[in-house]
Coordinates of all heavy atoms in Angstrom, one line a residue:
G401 N 11.5 19.1 -3.8 CA 11.0 18.6 -5.1 C 9.5 18.3 -5.0 O 8.8 18.7 -4.1
V402 N 9.1 17.6 -6.0 CA 7.6 17.2 -6.1 C 7.6 15.8 -6.7 O 8.4 15.4 -7.5 CB 6.9 18.2 -7.1 CG1 5.5 17.7 -7.4 CG2 6.9 19.6 -6.5
F403 N 6.6 15.0 -6.2 CA 6.4 13.7 -6.8 C 4.9 13.7 -7.3 O 4.0 14.3 -6.7 CB 6.7 12.5 -6.0 CG 5.7 12.1 -5.1 CD1 4.6 11.2 -5.5 CD2 5.7 12.4 -3.7 CE1 3.7 10.8 -4.6 CE2 4.7 11.9 -2.9 CZ 3.7 11.1 -3.3
S404 N 4.7 13.1 -8.5 CA 3.4 13.1 -9.1 C 2.9 11.7 -9.5 O 3.7 10.9 -9.8 CB 3.5 14.0 -10.4 OG 4.0 15.3 -10.2
L405 N 1.6 11.5 -9.3 CA 0.9 10.4 -9.8 C 0.1 10.8 -11.0 O -0.7 11.8 -10.8 CB 0.1 9.7 -8.7 CG 0.8 9.2 -7.5 CD1 -0.2 8.6 -6.5 CD2 1.8 8.1 -7.9
V406 N 0.2 10.1 -12.1 CA -0.5 10.6 -13.3 C -1.1 9.4 -14.0 O -0.6 8.3 -14.0 CB 0.5 11.3 -14.2 CG1 1.7 10.5 -14.6 CG2 -0.2 11.8 -15.5
Q407 N -2.3 9.7 -14.6 CA -3.0 8.6 -15.4 C -3.6 9.3 -16.6 O -4.1 10.4 -16.6 CB -4.0 7.9 -14.5 CG -5.1 8.8 -13.9 CD -6.1 7.9 -13.1 OE1 -6.2 6.7 -13.3 NE2 -6.8 8.6 -12.2
N408 N -3.6 8.5 -17.7 CA -4.1 8.9 -18.9 C -5.7 8.7 -18.9 O -6.1 7.6 -18.8 CB -3.5 8.1 -20.1 CG -4.0 8.6 -21.5 OD1 -4.9 9.4 -21.5 ND2 -3.4 8.1 -22.5
I409 N -6.4 9.8 -18.9 CA -7.9 9.7 -18.8 C -8.6 10.1 -20.1 O -9.7 10.5 -20.0 CB -8.4 10.5 -17.6 CG1 -8.1 12.0 -17.8 CG2 -7.8 10.0 -16.3 CD1 -8.8 12.9 -16.8
T410 N -7.8 10.1 -21.2 CA -8.4 10.5 -22.4 C -9.6 9.6 -22.8 O -10.7 10.2 -23.1 CB -7.4 10.3 -23.6 OG1 -6.2 11.0 -23.2 CG2 -7.9 10.8 -24.9
E411 N -9.5 8.3 -22.6 CA -10.7 7.5 -22.9 C -11.8 7.7 -22.0 O -13.0 7.7 -22.4 CB -10.2 6.0 -22.9 CG -9.3 5.6 -24.0 CD -8.9 4.2 -24.0 OE1 -9.5 3.4 -23.2 OE2 -8.1 3.7 -24.8
R412 N -11.4 7.9 -20.7 CA -12.5 8.2 -19.7 C -13.2 9.5 -20.0 O -14.5 9.5 -19.9 CB -11.9 8.2 -18.3 CG -12.9 8.2 -17.2 CD -12.2 8.4 -15.8 NE -12.0 9.8 -15.5 CZ -11.3 10.2 -14.5 NH1 -10.7 9.4 -13.7 NH2 -11.1 11.5 -14.3
I413 N -12.5 10.5 -20.4 CA -13.1 11.8 -20.7 C -14.0 11.6 -21.9 O -15.2 12.1 -21.9 CB -12.1 12.9 -20.9 CG1 -11.3 13.2 -19.7 CG2 -12.7 14.1 -21.6 CD1 -12.1 13.8 -18.6
H414 N -13.5 10.9 -22.9 CA -14.3 10.6 -24.1 C -15.6 9.8 -23.7 O -16.7 10.2 -24.2 CB -13.5 9.9 -25.1 CG -14.2 9.5 -26.4 ND1 -14.4 10.4 -27.4 CD2 -14.8 8.4 -26.7 CE1 -15.1 9.8 -28.3 NE2 -15.4 8.6 -28.0
L415 N -15.4 8.8 -22.9 CA -16.6 8.0 -22.5 C -17.6 8.8 -21.7 O -18.8 8.7 -21.8 CB -16.1 6.8 -21.7 CG -17.2 5.8 -21.3 CD1 -17.9 5.2 -22.5 CD2 -16.6 4.7 -20.4

Side-chain angles (χ1 to χ4, degrees):
V402 173
F403 86 81
S404 304
L405 299 177
V406 57
Q407 57 181 338
N408 184 352
I409 61 170
T410 306
E411 293 184 4
R412 191 184 82 189
I413 294 295
H414 179 79
L415 182 59

